[in-house]
Structure formats: structure tokens, C-alpha cells
Amino acid sequence: MPDKPVAPQQPVSAAERPASGRQGAAPVLRVAELTVRFGGVVAVDNVSFAVEPGVAVGLIGPNGAGKSTALKAIGGEVKPTSGAVFFDEVDLAGRPPHVAARHGLIRTFQLGGEFGRLTVMENLLVAVPGLRGQTIWGALAGKRWWGAAQQAEVRRAQEVLSRLDLRHKDNEYVRDLSGGQRKLVEIGRALMARPKMLLLDEPMAGVNRSLARHIEEALTALRNDGLTLLLVEHELGSVERLCDRVIVMAQGRQIADGDIGQLRSRQEVLSAYLGGR
Ligand SMILES: Nc1ncnc2c1ncn2[C@@H]1O[C@H](COP(=O)(O)OP(=O)(O)O)[C@@H](O)[C@H]1O
Ligand SMILES: [Mg+2]
């Protein structure tokens, strides 16, 4: 799917939204001079920014700008060439994703085919770190795995599913869900690990408009409850409604950081991405 920006419908300026985040709080995430090279390609070039707790930050920019690589380098799947990724003041740069997850920094994952053979509920339960039977094979081995000791997690999974409006789907196989519902399951799985901050790469891409709205509303509710979000998204309407702040990347570099309304008036942002809209 092309990374083409879509004109926002019903733009809501940040001023019309209830304020989120804790004003003046120490940043939960601080990225300092992050650089990722692949051979001769500088995918992420000296990027620095901070994210305060409870805030939603959008990462936007044209195809190939380095957004996904930046997100992966923050979440631990890609080793940065240089730079630091402080999460709660711990430098996680170069540490694997499970270490980031242990600190509460979680990237949502596209569900591979094997997860389709599990129900929605099983998908959430296998995402709980350290829960017995967390391997999908263990889960597939039989429902007995989900005995009394897992009941608390089952109840929590039910709550998560209710929040995502997926409670009625808990016994359905993920392979039978629509693309948009699958994206909600991916978010639900991330929530089961009790994150402080979620990293999401195009959580609404390839989803029909009404489900995209539903995902956007679910993310807004999570942010309003204090979860910190960093998301790559090309649908600028969603970014404008959901995000408190936007970082614009082009050719690996961070070219702007601020309120999307302010950014629209900046020439280099317009020419790099917004196309003069
Ligand atoms: N694993 C990789 N190996 C080599 N080059 C890569 C790899 N991943 C991304 N790139 C390159 O890094 C640049 C940024 O890619 P990416 O982060 O996917 O951009 P975006 O998500 O903004 O579209 C592109 O030039 C891409 O081809
Ligand atoms: Mg990408």
C-alpha cells in the first residue's frame, strides 16, 4: 500500500481536544542521535527527540524516510549504528526486544499465520510474558493449559477485549477475522504485556474506514488512560486527531517536530510531505 498522505477529514485541532500527558513530566522515552546504517544506506540519520508520559506522538514522512527502521531501532529489533535510546533513563540501544518489553516498551507485531490457528483469547494469553504455556504449541496442546492459575490473566484478557470491542470474538479463530480486527488483536496482545509505551507501525493501514476509526478511537482511549504512544501512520486525519505532536522524517533525517497545525505552515514540511495541503 502506498505511503501517500490522505487529506484529513474533520480536522480537530489540538486546542479543541482535552489536554493529555503530564505537563512538564520527565520524558519516558529519549532518543539521542540515533543512527542506523544498512551498508551504504543511512536509514536513520542522527535523530533525537523525547516523548513525555501519556502523550501520543506521530511519526510521519514519505516512503523510505526511515520511520519503520527508527521504530525498530527503538524497540530493539534493529541494532542502531550509534546513538542512545533511553527508556525511563535506561539506555536500551542495541538491547533485544524482550529487554525493552521488560521495561514496558512494546512494539505491536503483525500476526504471522500460526497465530491464525489460535483463538482471539488464546492469542492474548500466549502474549503474557512468563505465563505457563506461552508458546503457541503449548497453547495448541490443549485447553487444560489454561487452568486455575491462568484465570486472572483470562479475566484481564476479557477486559482488554472489552476495551477493544472484541469481547464477542474471544472464541473465534484469528484466521477468520477481518484485517482490521486482526490489528486490534495485535494491540490487545501488546496490552497483555502491561506496557508503559506502545510503538505501532501503521496500525490503521489496509483497514476499511470504519475499522480504522475504531482502531483510532481505541488508541485515543488508551492514550487518555495514560499510555504513551509512538506511531507511524500515513493517514494524516488520524494523526491529527490522535497525536499531540508529530515528528516528520525525510531521507533518514528528522526535519520537524511539533504540533501538526504549526507544521503545516512550514515550507520544508510542506514540500517534503504534506504536499501543500
Ligand atoms: N533491513 C534492511 N536492509 C537494508 N536496507 C533497509 C532495511 N530496512 C530498511 N532499509 C532501507 O532503509 C530506508 C528506510 O526504510 P524504512 O525505515 O522502511 O522507511 P519507511 O518506514 O519510512 O518507509 C530505505 O531506503 C530502505 O530501503
Ligand atoms: Mg515503514
Side-chain angles (χ1 to χ4, degrees), residues 79-132:
K79 235 183 164 73
T81 308
S82 59
V85 176
F86 290 102
F87 190 72
D88 274 347
E89 293 306 317
V90 178
D91 188 3
L92 294 176
R95 311 291 305 279
H98 71 265
V99 173
R102 212 185 296 140
H103 283 87
L105 178 63
I106 310 263
R107 194 169 88 88
T108 59
F109 278 95
Q110 226 169 336
L111 292 172
E114 67 273 29
F115 294 99
R117 296 165 56 198
L118 300 182
T119 66
V120 170
M121 174 58 77
E122 286 165 345
N123 260 282
L124 264 67
L125 292 174
V126 298
V128 178
L131 187 62
R132 184 167 174 249

Side-chain angles (χ1 to χ4, degrees), residues 11-20 223 239-245 258-262:
V12 177
S13 77
E16 292 169 57
R17 273 202 315 253
S20 67
R223 183 210 63 171
V239 171
E240 188 153 18
R241 286 184 295 270
L242 169 61
C243 296
D244 303 282
R245 216 176 94 213
D259 175 76
I260 194 167
Q262 295 162 0

Side-chain angles (χ1 to χ4, degrees), residues 5 13 20 31 35 46 49 52-53 55 67 70-71 96 145 162 164-166 168 179-180 221 224 238 240-241 268:
S13 77
S20 67
V31 175
T35 297
N46 199 30
F49 63 88
E52 284 74 38
V55 161
K67 308 178 299 292
L71 218 59
W145 280 94
S162 297
L164 299 172
D165 211 8
L166 271 184
H168 57 299
N224 290 345
S238 297
E240 188 153 18
R241 286 184 295 270
E268 69 263 46

Side-chain angles (χ1 to χ4, degrees), residues 3 38-39 41-44 61-70 72 78 201-202 232 249 252:
D3 253 0
F38 296 113
V41 177
V42 188
V44 178
N63 243 328
K67 308 178 299 292
S68 295
T69 304
K72 286 178 190 163
V78 162
D201 199 345
E202 307 202 13
V232 172
M249 286 181 72

Side-chain angles (χ1 to χ4, degrees), residues 6 19 32 35 41 56 73 75 115 117 126-127 135 145 153 155-156 173 196 220 235-236 262-263:
V6 176
T35 297
V41 177
F115 294 99
R117 296 165 56 198
V126 298
T135 69
W145 280 94
E153 297 297 347
R155 274 193 298 276
R156 207 158 64 82
Y173 288 102
K196 280 188 200 163
T220 302
E235 215 288 308
L236 289 185
Q262 295 162 0
L263 295 184

Side-chain angles (χ1 to χ4, degrees), residues 253-264:
R253 292 201 197 95
Q254 172 188 347
I255 59 165
D257 180 348
D259 175 76
I260 194 167
Q262 295 162 0
L263 295 184
R264 276 176 193 285

